[in-house]
Amino acid sequence: MKKMSAIGALAGAIAMLMAGTAYAKTLKLNHNNPDDHPLHKSMEFMGDRVEELTDGEIKIRVYANAQLGTQRESMELVQNGQLDMAKSNASELEAFEDSYSALNLPYIFKDEDHLFDVLLGEIGDEVLMASRDKGFIGLTYYTEGARSFYANKPVKTPADLNGMKVRVQPSPSAIRMVELLGGNPTPISWGELYSALQQGVVDGAENNPTALTSARHGEVSKHFSFDEHTMIPSIVVISTKVWDELSEEQQKALKQAATESAQFHREQWNKASEASIEQAKKELNVEFHEVDKAAFAEAVAPMHEETAAKSEKVSDLIDRIKAAGE
């Protein structure tokens, strides 16, 4: 009898163990930055938190350096349910969901506080969920600071961009912005940009200061101009198919981990950006220039009305974002 009881207890323990691991799932998350980048560290933070919050039921494996495909390829895989998660940004995502175009407008955000009030509030959540029927939803936003122009000459006024071939992301907003400023927008993938700058395929690019050091663009572009035209966030997305397979408790835990990682990222990003500027100055001899932002803002002002005309939904988002900064 004792032997049977022992066997029964063992069987029960095994059943409980199996029940505890039956829902364990490791989500694959792909992005195109190096593994020492603040974005990578923030995604790993999210993975650690969701594993902790779900007692190991949900784990995230983060793949750096576009190991599972380019940013665009990753989004298409996520839409099809062939990849669990990816990091993209609002610039590329507007091609999948037009709500993101409101976030891409030049000078729509007054400052960093305005940006975070919008992104981590009701408006930001609305945009993240707008793509549900398109195969993915957003989980959270990661700041990448303000984007500015860099090249082998200072860009202090819009006139300095006349005729310049400027690398942009494959985004209608980015292309239109450079057109209005007098430049020649040239979409090129991130991985090809260093050689394009080096070989003169493009004359310049636009991004935040960390691009000068993490991607070594400061080796081939020696002037960075703080026009700070856009504050385009990165977004971590998850396949709708994968999201719907999670329990309500798991969804809540993943959302909490994502939000906490966004707050963690904000602090890490600002430190990294300041460090990159100093490193670019000292090690790469990059010169930094202050500019008259008003001239740039005036040149691209038509974009606000043009984008609002796309739909009532986008127009409403633009009005609410601006009102949040007043």
Side-chain angles (χ1 to χ4, degrees), residues 133-160:
D133 63 348
K134 297 178 175 68
F136 69 94
I137 62 170
L139 287 174
T140 196
Y141 301 91
Y142 290 150
T143 180
E144 290 196 62
R147 297 175 76 95
S148 296
F149 291 106
Y150 55 95
N152 269 329
K153 71 171 188 178
V155 178
K156 293 186 176 181
T157 69
D160 293 326

Side-chain angles (χ1 to χ4, degrees), residues 152 192-202 217 219-221:
N152 269 329
E192 297 173 358
L193 181 51
Y194 182 97
S195 60
L197 288 164
Q198 187 179 43
Q199 296 166 15
V201 175
V202 291
H217 290 175
E219 294 176 352
V220 289
S221 293

Side-chain angles (χ1 to χ4, degrees), residues 75-94:
M75 281 306 306
E76 292 169 354
L77 290 171
V78 166
Q79 277 190 301
N80 296 331
Q82 296 174 282
L83 177 64
D84 302 313
M85 302 171 69
K87 187 276 296 179
S88 187
N89 59 45
S91 189
E92 287 206 9
L93 287 180
E94 75 172 76

Side-chain angles (χ1 to χ4, degrees), residues 194 208-209 212 263 266 299:
Y194 182 97
N208 58 71
L212 299 171
Q263 295 161 340
R266 181 180 184 179

Side-chain angles (χ1 to χ4, degrees), residues 45-59:
F45 177 95
M46 175 174 58
D48 290 341
R49 271 304 276 147
V50 75
E51 183 174 354
E52 181 181 354
L53 290 168
T54 62
D55 293 325
E57 286 183 3
I58 302 296
K59 299 180 181 180

